[in-house]
Amino acid sequence: MKSKLRGRTSSVVLHLALTIVGLLMAFPLLWMLRTSLMHIDQIFLLPPVFFPDPIQFSNYAETFRSYPFGTYMLNSLFISILFTAGAMFTSSLCAFGFSRIRWKGRDFVFTLILSSMILPSAVMIIPTYMIWNSIGVNGSYLPLILPGWLGGGAFYIFLLKQFFMSIPRAFDESAFLDGAGYFTIYSCIMLPLSKPPMMVVMLFAFLNSWNDFLNPLVYINDQVRYTVSVGLQLFMTGHVSAWSSLMATATVVILPGVVLFLIGQKFFVEGIVMSGIKG
Amino acid sequence: MNLARTKKLNLERRDNIAGWLFVSPIVVGFLFLTVGPLVSSLFYSFTEYNIISPPEFLGWDNYRELFDGTDPTFGSAVKSTVIYVVAGTPVFVIFSLVMAMLLNAKAKCRTLFRTLVFLPSVVPVVATSVIWIWMTEPTLGVINNVLKMIGIDWNLQWFYSTGTVLPTLILLWLWTCGSTMIVFLAGLQNVPSELYEAVEVDGGGFWRKTVHVTIPMITPSIMFCTIISFINAVQCFAPVYAITNGGPSNASMLYVFYMYREAFKFFNMGKACAIAWVMFVVLLIITRLVSVTTKHWVYYEGGE
């Protein structure tokens, strides 16, 4: 009897804590949304008004009028899609090579690649910029896309390798008996079985590319070719106190990533838990 | 017998070629995007280089000038970064762990709450910065006004005062704890439930379970998340660029922003590379120290 009451109380406390946390986490985004749909005069009212009245979309019109955000979104989309495709393809290839083939030097190379994850990317940005500069591709999207095709990053390879290692070798062996080569095993057996972690790679790679700020800032000079994250920064410096249109711009920048995330979010937790990344 | 040996060698050779072929993208990437920059930045750190004119050899000057006070901003950068990282990382890791534990408990709409907590980390940092500037505006922003409504009239200056800017940046970081929280969640779900049952049988409650089962069993996750969070903290750039610009009075001149400014505002590539290498060496030492000591407190189920 006593433990049932204790159970009930702790459940209530738990749900209360969860609700508070959930609201705190969601509040900044809701506030952004609310401000974006309000007239500039209404947003400064004290005590603060929570629901816009009337709801107006003119702030969004301002967003697209002052800077070519439509173009920015297309630019970001172009870069992110190409980057993600490359990341999915090359990271799975490399993960396959590290997990399904026994070759000389495999573990050493893998440890080396893994150690590059520890390197803060910020330390690398300047020398990397100089290397791209000396090749002469400054201003193009190449520095933003090519890294995706060169393995995508140690993180995705690590994730996929862990997952591949959980698939029984019996599949490979029977394929060998049927005369299949490594690439066939990769494409016809491994890939179809790896949908959840591949979804994780796709979502993370896309989001990282879409949200990236430092790299587009450094490599793109032509205003028309900016990405959304840089565009937002530009908007902010040009419209310092125009809070309602600023929030509208922020909403526009956030929306695609959030939508993509909501669609694929069940894969996130599943994918990470399944692939065994826990330390 | 000779035939069998040849066949085995051929298979090995085929495997070697296939292996290298499959991992060639990342090997090229590693050489081009990791080793190359590392080596060239080391070289440039000993020069004065502004891209337009050829580099001029300086010896150790760049490094010496950092430490002998020629540039007082270096001191500010180190100081603010150390405060941010040393204070922020434990707070962040503990907060993420608490969140994960909260979201691991059996509750209705658990998935909804997990999504809500994860959502902020999906938002681009620039957008996060913009929203937070707006919310923390001392006179017009919603936070101070709501606090005033419930009687807390502290008039916090958030990003605008030297004493509060770093804590506010840490708060901003806490808001995006989603991805770390997920890693802890995965770790928590792998703790064998028999251990919890054993504590229950002995009459232990929540606290006993947490201290004697949960925490020891997730030490690998704790180590992983602490290292990753530490590295992320050291790399903090976008909020400084978008919100504070290093201010007020260099109180938030975080290291990467300082380096960026040196390179892309003052065009001192050589000095910027030296700044980068100082950080790199310090991080190497710290990472080495940590991995050497982990044996003593991290438990691996698979045994190592």
Side-chain angles (χ1 to χ4, degrees), chain B residues 130-157:
Chain B
V130 163
I131 299 174
W132 276 69
I133 295 179
W134 170 225
M135 291 197 322
T136 60
E137 229 286 318
T139 40
L140 303 167
V142 63
I143 297 187
N144 273 358
N145 284 308
V146 166
L147 285 177
K148 222 185 272 181
M149 269 176 18
I150 57 177
I152 304 178
D153 197 357
W154 291 340
N155 200 24
L156 291 160
Q157 291 300 301

PDB file of all heavy atoms in Angstrom, chain B residues 130-157:
ATOM      1  N   VAL B 130      20.515  34.385 -32.236  1.00  0.00           N
ATOM      2  CA  VAL B 130      19.587  35.487 -32.499  1.00  0.00           C
ATOM      3  C   VAL B 130      18.403  35.450 -31.535  1.00  0.00           C
ATOM      4  O   VAL B 130      18.018  36.456 -30.956  1.00  0.00           O
ATOM      5  CB  VAL B 130      19.114  35.416 -33.972  1.00  0.00           C
ATOM      6  CG1 VAL B 130      17.879  36.238 -34.172  1.00  0.00           C
ATOM      7  CG2 VAL B 130      20.214  35.872 -34.892  1.00  0.00           C
ATOM      8  N   ILE B 131      17.842  34.247 -31.352  1.00  0.00           N
ATOM      9  CA  ILE B 131      16.698  34.114 -30.441  1.00  0.00           C
ATOM     10  C   ILE B 131      17.091  34.509 -29.033  1.00  0.00           C
ATOM     11  O   ILE B 131      16.371  35.217 -28.326  1.00  0.00           O
ATOM     12  CB  ILE B 131      16.171  32.667 -30.428  1.00  0.00           C
ATOM     13  CG1 ILE B 131      15.709  32.265 -31.814  1.00  0.00           C
ATOM     14  CG2 ILE B 131      15.047  32.513 -29.425  1.00  0.00           C
ATOM     15  CD1 ILE B 131      15.310  30.813 -31.888  1.00  0.00           C
ATOM     16  N   TRP B 132      18.261  34.063 -28.595  1.00  0.00           N
ATOM     17  CA  TRP B 132      18.670  34.342 -27.226  1.00  0.00           C
ATOM     18  C   TRP B 132      19.004  35.818 -27.004  1.00  0.00           C
ATOM     19  O   TRP B 132      18.792  36.355 -25.923  1.00  0.00           O
ATOM     20  CB  TRP B 132      19.844  33.440 -26.832  1.00  0.00           C
ATOM     21  CG  TRP B 132      19.369  32.118 -26.360  1.00  0.00           C
ATOM     22  CD1 TRP B 132      18.789  31.143 -27.111  1.00  0.00           C
ATOM     23  CD2 TRP B 132      19.354  31.631 -25.014  1.00  0.00           C
ATOM     24  NE1 TRP B 132      18.434  30.066 -26.327  1.00  0.00           N
ATOM     25  CE2 TRP B 132      18.772  30.351 -25.035  1.00  0.00           C
ATOM     26  CE3 TRP B 132      19.785  32.167 -23.794  1.00  0.00           C
ATOM     27  CZ2 TRP B 132      18.608  29.581 -23.887  1.00  0.00           C
ATOM     28  CZ3 TRP B 132      19.633  31.400 -22.650  1.00  0.00           C
ATOM     29  CH2 TRP B 132      19.046  30.125 -22.703  1.00  0.00           C
ATOM     30  N   ILE B 133      19.549  36.471 -28.035  1.00  0.00           N
ATOM     31  CA  ILE B 133      19.800  37.905 -27.890  1.00  0.00           C
ATOM     32  C   ILE B 133      18.476  38.596 -27.593  1.00  0.00           C
ATOM     33  O   ILE B 133      18.363  39.441 -26.701  1.00  0.00           O
ATOM     34  CB  ILE B 133      20.379  38.519 -29.180  1.00  0.00           C
ATOM     35  CG1 ILE B 133      21.740  37.967 -29.490  1.00  0.00           C
ATOM     36  CG2 ILE B 133      20.452  40.030 -29.064  1.00  0.00           C
ATOM     37  CD1 ILE B 133      22.326  38.526 -30.752  1.00  0.00           C
ATOM     38  N   TRP B 134      17.473  38.196 -28.355  1.00  0.00           N
ATOM     39  CA  TRP B 134      16.155  38.793 -28.222  1.00  0.00           C
ATOM     40  C   TRP B 134      15.543  38.501 -26.855  1.00  0.00           C
ATOM     41  O   TRP B 134      15.003  39.379 -26.195  1.00  0.00           O
ATOM     42  CB  TRP B 134      15.280  38.276 -29.353  1.00  0.00           C
ATOM     43  CG  TRP B 134      13.818  38.565 -29.286  1.00  0.00           C
ATOM     44  CD1 TRP B 134      12.804  37.701 -29.520  1.00  0.00           C
ATOM     45  CD2 TRP B 134      13.186  39.811 -28.966  1.00  0.00           C
ATOM     46  NE1 TRP B 134      11.587  38.313 -29.376  1.00  0.00           N
ATOM     47  CE2 TRP B 134      11.792  39.607 -29.034  1.00  0.00           C
ATOM     48  CE3 TRP B 134      13.651  41.086 -28.623  1.00  0.00           C
ATOM     49  CZ2 TRP B 134      10.864  40.618 -28.781  1.00  0.00           C
ATOM     50  CZ3 TRP B 134      12.731  42.092 -28.369  1.00  0.00           C
ATOM     51  CH2 TRP B 134      11.365  41.846 -28.447  1.00  0.00           C
ATOM     52  N   MET B 135      15.678  37.274 -26.374  1.00  0.00           N
ATOM     53  CA  MET B 135      15.039  36.913 -25.112  1.00  0.00           C
ATOM     54  C   MET B 135      15.732  37.533 -23.921  1.00  0.00           C
ATOM     55  O   MET B 135      15.101  37.849 -22.910  1.00  0.00           O
ATOM     56  CB  MET B 135      15.007  35.392 -24.927  1.00  0.00           C
ATOM     57  CG  MET B 135      14.080  34.689 -25.872  1.00  0.00           C
ATOM     58  SD  MET B 135      13.676  33.010 -25.327  1.00  0.00           S
ATOM     59  CE  MET B 135      15.216  32.461 -24.669  1.00  0.00           C
ATOM     60  N   THR B 136      17.071  37.721 -24.025  1.00  0.00           N
ATOM     61  CA  THR B 136      17.807  38.182 -22.855  1.00  0.00           C
ATOM     62  C   THR B 136      18.045  39.681 -22.851  1.00  0.00           C
ATOM     63  O   THR B 136      18.814  40.193 -22.060  1.00  0.00           O
ATOM     64  CB  THR B 136      19.181  37.487 -22.761  1.00  0.00           C
ATOM     65  OG1 THR B 136      19.929  37.791 -23.946  1.00  0.00           O
ATOM     66  CG2 THR B 136      19.040  36.005 -22.614  1.00  0.00           C
ATOM     67  N   GLU B 137      17.415  40.399 -23.783  1.00  0.00           N
ATOM     68  CA  GLU B 137      17.546  41.850 -23.797  1.00  0.00           C
ATOM     69  C   GLU B 137      17.138  42.366 -22.423  1.00  0.00           C
ATOM     70  O   GLU B 137      16.035  42.089 -21.967  1.00  0.00           O
ATOM     71  CB  GLU B 137      16.621  42.423 -24.879  1.00  0.00           C
ATOM     72  CG  GLU B 137      17.292  43.422 -25.803  1.00  0.00           C
ATOM     73  CD  GLU B 137      17.530  44.749 -25.125  1.00  0.00           C
ATOM     74  OE1 GLU B 137      16.606  45.183 -24.415  1.00  0.00           O
ATOM     75  OE2 GLU B 137      18.608  45.328 -25.290  1.00  0.00           O
ATOM     76  N   PRO B 138      18.010  43.119 -21.729  1.00  0.00           N
ATOM     77  CA  PRO B 138      17.732  43.452 -20.327  1.00  0.00           C
ATOM     78  C   PRO B 138      16.432  44.206 -20.097  1.00  0.00           C
ATOM     79  O   PRO B 138      15.726  43.927 -19.133  1.00  0.00           O
ATOM     80  CB  PRO B 138      18.939  44.298 -19.928  1.00  0.00           C
ATOM     81  CG  PRO B 138      20.020  43.852 -20.826  1.00  0.00           C
ATOM     82  CD  PRO B 138      19.376  43.512 -22.125  1.00  0.00           C
ATOM     83  N   THR B 139      16.074  45.156 -20.972  1.00  0.00           N
ATOM     84  CA  THR B 139      14.853  45.912 -20.691  1.00  0.00           C
ATOM     85  C   THR B 139      13.661  45.402 -21.485  1.00  0.00           C
ATOM     86  O   THR B 139      12.535  45.429 -21.008  1.00  0.00           O
ATOM     87  CB  THR B 139      15.036  47.401 -21.016  1.00  0.00           C
ATOM     88  OG1 THR B 139      15.799  47.494 -22.222  1.00  0.00           O
ATOM     89  CG2 THR B 139      15.760  48.106 -19.906  1.00  0.00           C
ATOM     90  N   LEU B 140      13.912  44.932 -22.695  1.00  0.00           N
ATOM     91  CA  LEU B 140      12.798  44.576 -23.563  1.00  0.00           C
ATOM     92  C   LEU B 140      12.556  43.078 -23.678  1.00  0.00           C
ATOM     93  O   LEU B 140      11.506  42.648 -24.108  1.00  0.00           O
ATOM     94  CB  LEU B 140      13.038  45.121 -24.982  1.00  0.00           C
ATOM     95  CG  LEU B 140      13.249  46.630 -25.087  1.00  0.00           C
ATOM     96  CD1 LEU B 140      13.772  46.970 -26.471  1.00  0.00           C
ATOM     97  CD2 LEU B 140      11.932  47.342 -24.832  1.00  0.00           C
ATOM     98  N   GLY B 141      13.561  42.302 -23.276  1.00  0.00           N
ATOM     99  CA  GLY B 141      13.459  40.871 -23.511  1.00  0.00           C
ATOM    100  C   GLY B 141      12.479  40.194 -22.564  1.00  0.00           C
ATOM    101  O   GLY B 141      12.179  40.666 -21.476  1.00  0.00           O
ATOM    102  N   VAL B 142      11.999  39.026 -22.980  1.00  0.00           N
ATOM    103  CA  VAL B 142      10.946  38.351 -22.245  1.00  0.00           C
ATOM    104  C   VAL B 142      11.410  37.791 -20.908  1.00  0.00           C
ATOM    105  O   VAL B 142      10.675  37.802 -19.926  1.00  0.00           O
ATOM    106  CB  VAL B 142      10.324  37.224 -23.121  1.00  0.00           C
ATOM    107  CG1 VAL B 142      11.379  36.173 -23.436  1.00  0.00           C
ATOM    108  CG2 VAL B 142       9.156  36.600 -22.439  1.00  0.00           C
ATOM    109  N   ILE B 143      12.668  37.344 -20.818  1.00  0.00           N
ATOM    110  CA  ILE B 143      13.121  36.694 -19.588  1.00  0.00           C
ATOM    111  C   ILE B 143      13.074  37.642 -18.405  1.00  0.00           C
ATOM    112  O   ILE B 143      12.449  37.353 -17.372  1.00  0.00           O
ATOM    113  CB  ILE B 143      14.532  36.099 -19.745  1.00  0.00           C
ATOM    114  CG1 ILE B 143      14.532  35.018 -20.812  1.00  0.00           C
ATOM    115  CG2 ILE B 143      15.017  35.524 -18.432  1.00  0.00           C
ATOM    116  CD1 ILE B 143      15.836  34.266 -20.924  1.00  0.00           C
ATOM    117  N   ASN B 144      13.713  38.781 -18.558  1.00  0.00           N
ATOM    118  CA  ASN B 144      13.724  39.722 -17.434  1.00  0.00           C
ATOM    119  C   ASN B 144      12.321  40.192 -17.079  1.00  0.00           C
ATOM    120  O   ASN B 144      11.995  40.394 -15.904  1.00  0.00           O
ATOM    121  CB  ASN B 144      14.620  40.935 -17.744  1.00  0.00           C
ATOM    122  CG  ASN B 144      16.063  40.668 -17.362  1.00  0.00           C
ATOM    123  OD1 ASN B 144      16.379  39.614 -16.838  1.00  0.00           O
ATOM    124  ND2 ASN B 144      16.936  41.619 -17.605  1.00  0.00           N
ATOM    125  N   ASN B 145      11.468  40.362 -18.103  1.00  0.00           N
ATOM    126  CA  ASN B 145      10.125  40.850 -17.827  1.00  0.00           C
ATOM    127  C   ASN B 145       9.257  39.810 -17.148  1.00  0.00           C
ATOM    128  O   ASN B 145       8.460  40.134 -16.267  1.00  0.00           O
ATOM    129  CB  ASN B 145       9.469  41.346 -19.120  1.00  0.00           C
ATOM    130  CG  ASN B 145      10.032  42.694 -19.520  1.00  0.00           C
ATOM    131  OD1 ASN B 145      10.049  43.614 -18.713  1.00  0.00           O
ATOM    132  ND2 ASN B 145      10.507  42.807 -20.732  1.00  0.00           N
ATOM    133  N   VAL B 146       9.410  38.569 -17.535  1.00  0.00           N
ATOM    134  CA  VAL B 146       8.664  37.501 -16.864  1.00  0.00           C
ATOM    135  C   VAL B 146       9.136  37.355 -15.424  1.00  0.00           C
ATOM    136  O   VAL B 146       8.342  37.182 -14.506  1.00  0.00           O
ATOM    137  CB  VAL B 146       8.813  36.168 -17.632  1.00  0.00           C
ATOM    138  CG1 VAL B 146       8.350  34.999 -16.799  1.00  0.00           C
ATOM    139  CG2 VAL B 146       8.026  36.224 -18.922  1.00  0.00           C
ATOM    140  N   LEU B 147      10.459  37.437 -15.232  1.00  0.00           N
ATOM    141  CA  LEU B 147      10.985  37.353 -13.873  1.00  0.00           C
ATOM    142  C   LEU B 147      10.413  38.480 -13.023  1.00  0.00           C
ATOM    143  O   LEU B 147      10.058  38.314 -11.859  1.00  0.00           O
ATOM    144  CB  LEU B 147      12.517  37.427 -13.890  1.00  0.00           C
ATOM    145  CG  LEU B 147      13.262  36.174 -14.361  1.00  0.00           C
ATOM    146  CD1 LEU B 147      14.758  36.411 -14.385  1.00  0.00           C
ATOM    147  CD2 LEU B 147      12.954  34.987 -13.451  1.00  0.00           C
ATOM    148  N   LYS B 148      10.350  39.665 -13.619  1.00  0.00           N
ATOM    149  CA  LYS B 148       9.802  40.811 -12.894  1.00  0.00           C
ATOM    150  C   LYS B 148       8.362  40.542 -12.501  1.00  0.00           C
ATOM    151  O   LYS B 148       7.929  40.899 -11.407  1.00  0.00           O
ATOM    152  CB  LYS B 148       9.879  42.059 -13.797  1.00  0.00           C
ATOM    153  CG  LYS B 148      10.326  43.313 -13.059  1.00  0.00           C
ATOM    154  CD  LYS B 148      10.262  44.523 -13.935  1.00  0.00           C
ATOM    155  CE  LYS B 148      11.547  44.720 -14.716  1.00  0.00           C
ATOM    156  NZ  LYS B 148      11.491  45.937 -15.561  1.00  0.00           N
ATOM    157  N   MET B 149       7.626  39.897 -13.404  1.00  0.00           N
ATOM    158  CA  MET B 149       6.216  39.595 -13.143  1.00  0.00           C
ATOM    159  C   MET B 149       6.059  38.723 -11.922  1.00  0.00           C
ATOM    160  O   MET B 149       5.083  38.828 -11.195  1.00  0.00           O
ATOM    161  CB  MET B 149       5.591  38.886 -14.361  1.00  0.00           C
ATOM    162  CG  MET B 149       4.986  39.879 -15.319  1.00  0.00           C
ATOM    163  SD  MET B 149       4.313  39.208 -16.858  1.00  0.00           S
ATOM    164  CE  MET B 149       4.076  37.506 -16.641  1.00  0.00           C
ATOM    165  N   ILE B 150       7.012  37.793 -11.707  1.00  0.00           N
ATOM    166  CA  ILE B 150       6.883  36.927 -10.534  1.00  0.00           C
ATOM    167  C   ILE B 150       7.692  37.454  -9.363  1.00  0.00           C
ATOM    168  O   ILE B 150       7.962  36.752  -8.406  1.00  0.00           O
ATOM    169  CB  ILE B 150       7.254  35.460 -10.832  1.00  0.00           C
ATOM    170  CG1 ILE B 150       8.684  35.371 -11.379  1.00  0.00           C
ATOM    171  CG2 ILE B 150       6.284  34.850 -11.807  1.00  0.00           C
ATOM    172  CD1 ILE B 150       9.095  33.926 -11.621  1.00  0.00           C
ATOM    173  N   GLY B 151       8.095  38.719  -9.452  1.00  0.00           N
ATOM    174  CA  GLY B 151       8.687  39.356  -8.290  1.00  0.00           C
ATOM    175  C   GLY B 151      10.201  39.344  -8.228  1.00  0.00           C
ATOM    176  O   GLY B 151      10.792  39.855  -7.286  1.00  0.00           O
ATOM    177  N   ILE B 152      10.865  38.750  -9.233  1.00  0.00           N
ATOM    178  CA  ILE B 152      12.329  38.714  -9.186  1.00  0.00           C
ATOM    179  C   ILE B 152      12.853  39.865 -10.037  1.00  0.00           C
ATOM    180  O   ILE B 152      13.019  39.741 -11.249  1.00  0.00           O
ATOM    181  CB  ILE B 152      12.868  37.380  -9.720  1.00  0.00           C
ATOM    182  CG1 ILE B 152      12.246  36.225  -8.942  1.00  0.00           C
ATOM    183  CG2 ILE B 152      14.379  37.323  -9.613  1.00  0.00           C
ATOM    184  CD1 ILE B 152      12.693  34.864  -9.442  1.00  0.00           C
ATOM    185  N   ASP B 153      13.128  40.991  -9.406  1.00  0.00           N
ATOM    186  CA  ASP B 153      13.547  42.164 -10.162  1.00  0.00           C
ATOM    187  C   ASP B 153      15.051  42.350 -10.074  1.00  0.00           C
ATOM    188  O   ASP B 153      15.542  43.338  -9.538  1.00  0.00           O
ATOM    189  CB  ASP B 153      12.808  43.406  -9.622  1.00  0.00           C
ATOM    190  CG  ASP B 153      12.891  44.551 -10.606  1.00  0.00           C
ATOM    191  OD1 ASP B 153      13.559  44.393 -11.643  1.00  0.00           O
ATOM    192  OD2 ASP B 153      12.305  45.610 -10.328  1.00  0.00           O
ATOM    193  N   TRP B 154      15.802  41.377 -10.570  1.00  0.00           N
ATOM    194  CA  TRP B 154      17.245  41.451 -10.461  1.00  0.00           C
ATOM    195  C   TRP B 154      17.891  42.250 -11.582  1.00  0.00           C
ATOM    196  O   TRP B 154      19.064  42.563 -11.538  1.00  0.00           O
ATOM    197  CB  TRP B 154      17.845  40.043 -10.492  1.00  0.00           C
ATOM    198  CG  TRP B 154      17.547  39.242  -9.286  1.00  0.00           C
ATOM    199  CD1 TRP B 154      17.158  39.700  -8.055  1.00  0.00           C
ATOM    200  CD2 TRP B 154      17.607  37.824  -9.172  1.00  0.00           C
ATOM    201  NE1 TRP B 154      16.988  38.635  -7.207  1.00  0.00           N
ATOM    202  CE2 TRP B 154      17.257  37.486  -7.850  1.00  0.00           C
ATOM    203  CE3 TRP B 154      17.954  36.795 -10.067  1.00  0.00           C
ATOM    204  CZ2 TRP B 154      17.214  36.166  -7.417  1.00  0.00           C
ATOM    205  CZ3 TRP B 154      17.919  35.490  -9.624  1.00  0.00           C
ATOM    206  CH2 TRP B 154      17.553  35.184  -8.305  1.00  0.00           C
ATOM    207  N   ASN B 155      17.124  42.496 -12.661  1.00  0.00           N
ATOM    208  CA  ASN B 155      17.668  43.234 -13.796  1.00  0.00           C
ATOM    209  C   ASN B 155      18.997  42.650 -14.281  1.00  0.00           C
ATOM    210  O   ASN B 155      20.006  43.340 -14.413  1.00  0.00           O
ATOM    211  CB  ASN B 155      17.850  44.713 -13.432  1.00  0.00           C
ATOM    212  CG  ASN B 155      17.933  45.564 -14.677  1.00  0.00           C
ATOM    213  OD1 ASN B 155      17.434  45.186 -15.732  1.00  0.00           O
ATOM    214  ND2 ASN B 155      18.594  46.700 -14.575  1.00  0.00           N
ATOM    215  N   LEU B 156      18.993  41.343 -14.527  1.00  0.00           N
ATOM    216  CA  LEU B 156      20.199  40.673 -14.980  1.00  0.00           C
ATOM    217  C   LEU B 156      20.632  41.203 -16.336  1.00  0.00           C
ATOM    218  O   LEU B 156      19.821  41.453 -17.210  1.00  0.00           O
ATOM    219  CB  LEU B 156      19.936  39.165 -15.096  1.00  0.00           C
ATOM    220  CG  LEU B 156      19.722  38.459 -13.765  1.00  0.00           C
ATOM    221  CD1 LEU B 156      19.008  37.144 -13.982  1.00  0.00           C
ATOM    222  CD2 LEU B 156      21.061  38.242 -13.084  1.00  0.00           C
ATOM    223  N   GLN B 157      21.920  41.356 -16.503  1.00  0.00           N
ATOM    224  CA  GLN B 157      22.448  41.923 -17.730  1.00  0.00           C
ATOM    225  C   GLN B 157      22.827  40.873 -18.780  1.00  0.00           C
ATOM    226  O   GLN B 157      23.194  41.218 -19.889  1.00  0.00           O
ATOM    227  CB  GLN B 157      23.681  42.789 -17.418  1.00  0.00           C
ATOM    228  CG  GLN B 157      23.343  44.054 -16.651  1.00  0.00           C
ATOM    229  CD  GLN B 157      22.388  44.935 -17.416  1.00  0.00           C
ATOM    230  OE1 GLN B 157      22.653  45.366 -18.522  1.00  0.00           O
ATOM    231  NE2 GLN B 157      21.234  45.200 -16.822  1.00  0.00           N
TER     232      GLN B 157
END
